[in-house]
Amino acid sequence: MSRQYSIYTVMGALAVFAAVLGFLVYNVHERSQTAEQEAEEKQRAAEEETGQEPEKERVASSEVPEVENEELLERAVHAEAKDESFEGMVAVASVILNRIESETFPDDVESVIYEENQFQVVSNGSIEEPPSERAEEATEEALDGSEPVGDSLFFWSEEVPKDNWLWETKTVDYEIGGHVFSEDV
């Protein structure tokens, strides 16, 4: 009888232990939720006090692809958009990432950038310039899911002559700085 009694005692103790552990985990989770909500409320109050608009949540229209050669992407962004706004740089990175996800283009950074006759910075050699810090930050922003030009697959300078095939075959969906962007395939 003593052996059965000790097994029941151990089982009971384990049940009590499991219940206490569950209670503790639940309380820790609730406290972290409350702390996050309080932090968000403080941030909103501070933004209202200073008159700043709350930071907009970035929404990606598709998953951001894994990038094996981020430094090449940063160099392309720098070479293509070094004279553009930060948003313009993010837009250029976004187009390259959109191409990687598209079935129409190759599926990695290097192949997209070095595809024949696609990027002038390859033919003029400026792709070899080291990226600026701004280009690195803009690339990171795009890799984090920011898509200021939606699903655009093309961009070109507004200075491209109007009789160029791009103007004749593509719809301008976005304009940022000196670049125009198109989602047309």
Side-chain angles (χ1 to χ4, degrees), residues 25-35 37:
V25 168
Y26 175 78
N27 279 335
V28 167
H29 176 72
E30 285 299 307
R31 285 184 184 157
S32 69
Q33 292 275 346
T34 303
Q37 290 169 345

Side-chain angles (χ1 to χ4, degrees), residues 36-47:
E36 286 175 14
Q37 290 169 345
E38 287 174 2
E40 288 174 8
E41 287 173 14
K42 283 181 184 178
Q43 182 179 357
R44 270 189 237 115
E47 288 168 348

Side-chain angles (χ1 to χ4, degrees), residues 48-65:
E48 287 173 9
E49 218 173 86
T50 60
Q52 290 179 332
E53 284 189 37
E55 187 177 312
K56 293 179 183 173
E57 191 174 318
R58 285 182 241 126
V59 178
S61 63
S62 62
E63 285 188 29
V64 179

Side-chain angles (χ1 to χ4, degrees), residues 7-166:
I7 289 175
Y8 293 126
T9 303
V10 170
M11 288 177 60
L14 285 174
V16 169
F17 176 75
V20 168
L21 184 61
F23 177 76
L24 292 174
V25 168
Y26 175 78
N27 279 335
V28 167
H29 176 72
E30 285 299 307
R31 285 184 184 157
S32 69
Q33 292 275 346
T34 303
E36 286 175 14
Q37 290 169 345
E38 287 174 2
E40 288 174 8
E41 287 173 14
K42 283 181 184 178
Q43 182 179 357
R44 270 189 237 115
E47 288 168 348
E48 287 173 9
E49 218 173 86
T50 60
Q52 290 179 332
E53 284 189 37
E55 187 177 312
K56 293 179 183 173
E57 191 174 318
R58 285 182 241 126
V59 178
S61 63
S62 62
E63 285 188 29
V64 179
E66 287 290 320
V67 173
E68 290 184 20
N69 197 339
E70 189 172 332
E71 196 261 340
L72 176 60
L73 179 57
E74 292 166 350
R75 289 194 338 247
V77 168
H78 172 78
E80 287 286 355
K82 63 183 156 206
D83 296 328
E84 294 294 323
S85 66
F86 184 77
E87 182 184 27
M89 292 180 122
V90 175
V92 167
S94 184
V95 167
I96 295 169
L97 295 174
N98 288 344
R99 284 187 175 198
I100 292 169
E101 287 296 294
S102 169
E103 293 178 10
T104 309
F105 294 93
D107 60 0
D108 64 90
V109 171
E110 188 172 347
S111 298
V112 165
I113 291 172
Y114 287 108
E115 188 173 17
E116 191 172 352
N117 299 321
Q118 293 300 305
F119 293 95
Q120 186 178 18
V121 299
V122 171
S123 59
N124 71 19
S126 60
I127 188 74
E128 298 304 323
E129 294 175 14
S132 65
E133 190 174 313
R134 243 173 34 110
E136 292 171 357
E137 291 169 1
T139 299
E140 195 61 42
E141 182 96 4
L143 288 169
D144 285 345
S146 180
E147 293 184 320
V149 290
D151 293 328
S152 292
L153 294 169
F154 295 90
F155 68 91
W156 62 95
S157 170
E158 289 180 328
E159 296 175 8
V160 169
K162 298 294 184 207
D163 63 349
N164 185 286
W165 69 273
L166 287 165

